[in-house]
């Protein structure tokens, strides 16, 4: 078998990432050697591979669904927004510079198509099947000429395309039809059919519409996936995090002790790797929410200042909103605060930034004895070590170089009283360390909270990925999907006018 498939979507957030992961997990359970691929990802949530390459976290999660190690080949182009108009371009796991959207789409992107197709070809030469994820919609007619992630990849590699639509949003039939009808004939011949996502209710009521859609487009629907809570793992875009309530669904298991722990995460601008708090939300009795007002810190037992692609901008935002004063008061009162990566830098005394913001010398919050200088070379690493008497693993993605001038050692950073700071992302996924850290937080907060003794974050992640595989296996036509992956799009698919504009 040397198969492939591109999972496209009618919109952003239609479910491409989780459907791709689900198909990957279903295939690997059938004994297929499979890999994920996304030519170009725009995300502030990234991951570091074993060889020290930076890729999107969604592709790292999909690699886990495939039970393989993630590599830079699986996400050759990563765009990390630095604002509304520009992004850092990461090529084959390494940053190559900042670029405006106009500059990128004006020529640079199209020149990357050869690199993207070479990476895909290398994966296809190694694996039985490669399941590719698109981005946004394949029918973005203003961007088709320079597209390297949707139909540009599909046409370049002759991949069949499955279009996913989120029926929970409404308008899914119009979205499916319109997506095909806005593609050029050469693109339309690769669009094999549709997959309905997030359906609630009786499927028999939907089936007449699916039959009519097939009559209108000549394309079948490969499955109707039911709505399921808690499957949105490793979201791509930190710019769209809801500030009200937890974006993660905490475990419903009752706490092991008498109290719960309340965790408030400061929703700073350009928040990156907010997936760091997933492991906290998975703990029974830990309630995680994202906040943007100082009064929301009042009842928190732990405040997390997360990573950000704009450390100086996030620091200014904290000051403007009164959150900076609330954080320094917490530190003075001995109430727990954890800074991760950019959040760690913010908690320090001084920042010298001629790279990210070019703001020069900026005073930090001064609650940790740390001075930070931004280097042009980005640190990308997979460190491991020991803290609080437990083994810890993590990953580092930062330009800021920290000089620790005091306090107790804590991973690569330091601790002063109940304030901790580190550049290590993912450390809370180490179960023993997370439990030890939460015991310290509970003691400092005066809570009778006890970490559950058997919570395994890795096992919970595996359960989620298996649930995604189950969705595909139970609610998609897997025989038809297998033929599509193995043999490509059916021949003779009809053209749906008007097609793409000239």
């Amino acid at each position: 078998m040397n198969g492939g498939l591109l999972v496209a979507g009618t919109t952003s957030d239609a479910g491409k990432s989780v459907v791709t992961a689900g198909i990957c997990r279903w295939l690997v359970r059938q004994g297929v050697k499979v890999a994920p691929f996304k030519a170009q990802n725009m995300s502030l949530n990234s991951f570091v591979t074993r060889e020290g390459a930076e890729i999107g976290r969604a592709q790292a999660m999909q690699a886990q669904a495939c039970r393989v190690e993630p590599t830079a080949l699986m996400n050759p182009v990563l765009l990390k927004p630095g604002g509304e108009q520009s992004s850092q371009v990461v090529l084959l796991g390494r940053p190559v510079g900042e670029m405006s959207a106009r500059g990128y789409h004006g020529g640079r992107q199209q020149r990357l198509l050869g690199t993207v197709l070479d990476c895909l070809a290398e994966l296809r030469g190694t694996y039985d099947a490669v399941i590719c994820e698109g981005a946004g919609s394949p029918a973005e007619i203003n961007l088709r000429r320079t597209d390297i992630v949707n139909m540009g990849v599909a046409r370049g590699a002759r991949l069949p395309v499955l279009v996913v639509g989120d029926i929970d949003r409404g308008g899914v039939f119009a979205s499916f039809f319109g997506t095909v009808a806005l593609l050029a004939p050469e693109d339309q011949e690769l669009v094999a059919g549709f997959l309905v996502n997030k359906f609630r209710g009786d499927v028999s009521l939907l089936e007449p519409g699916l039959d009519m859609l097939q009559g209108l487009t000549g394309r079948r629907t490969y499955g109707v996936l039911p709505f399921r809570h808690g499957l949105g793992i490793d979201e791509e875009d930190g710019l769209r995090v809801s500030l009200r309530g937890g974006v993660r669904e905490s475990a419903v298991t009752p706490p092991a002790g008498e109290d719960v722990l309340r965790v408030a995460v400061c929703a700073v601008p350009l928040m990156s790797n907010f997936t760091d708090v997933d492991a906290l939300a998975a703990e029974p009795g830990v309630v995680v929410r994202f906040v943007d007002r100082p009064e929301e810190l009042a009842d928190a037992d732990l405040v997390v200042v997360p990573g950000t692609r704009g450390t100086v901008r996030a620091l200014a935002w904290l000051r403007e909103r009164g959150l900076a004063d609330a954080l320094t008061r917490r530190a003075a009162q001995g109430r727990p605060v954890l800074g991760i990566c950019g959040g760690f830098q913010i908690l320090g005394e001084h920042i010298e930034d001629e790279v990210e913001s070019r703001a020069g010398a900026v005073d930090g919050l001064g609650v940790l004895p740390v001075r930070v200088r931004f280097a042009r070379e980005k640190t990308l690493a997979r460190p491991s070590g020991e803290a609080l008497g437990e083994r810890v693993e993590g990953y580092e993605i930062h330009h800021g170089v920290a000089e620790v001038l005091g306090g107790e050692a804590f991973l690569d950073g330091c601790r002063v009283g109940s304030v901790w700071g580190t550049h290590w992302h993912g450390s809370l996924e180490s179960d023993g360390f997370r439990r030890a850290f939460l015991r310290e937080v509970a003691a400092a907060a005066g809570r009778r909270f006890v970490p559950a003794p058997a919570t395994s974050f890795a096992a919970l992640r595996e359960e989620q990925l298996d649930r995604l595989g189950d969705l595909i296996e139970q609610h998609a036509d897997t025989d038809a999907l297998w033929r599509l992956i193995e043999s490509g799009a059916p021949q003779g698919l009809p053209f749906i006018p008007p097609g793409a504009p000239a």
Side-chain angles (χ1 to χ4, degrees), residues 13-16 18-19 163-169 172 176 194-200 206 223-228 231 471:
D13 296 329
K16 297 183 292 292
V18 294
V19 167
V163 180
V164 178
D166 179 355
I167 197 170
D168 200 48
R169 294 181 174 192
V172 74
F176 282 147
F194 314 108
L195 186 75
V196 176
N197 192 29
K198 298 183 183 178
F199 179 72
R200 307 174 192 249
L206 186 66
V224 178
L225 306 186
F227 188 97
R228 291 288 186 267
L231 294 181
L471 276 180

Side-chain angles (χ1 to χ4, degrees), residues 18 21 23 56 75 85 110 114 119 157 192 234 262 290 298 333-334 362 378 387 392 394 399 421 430 434 447 473:
V18 294
I23 293 174
N75 179 208
Q85 299 294 327
Q110 194 171 21
C119 290
D234 290 5
R262 296 173 176 84
F290 286 79
Q333 295 163 358
V362 178
K378 181 185 281 191
V392 192
H399 284 278
S430 297
R434 182 180 64 254
R447 294 286 186 186
E473 191 167 333

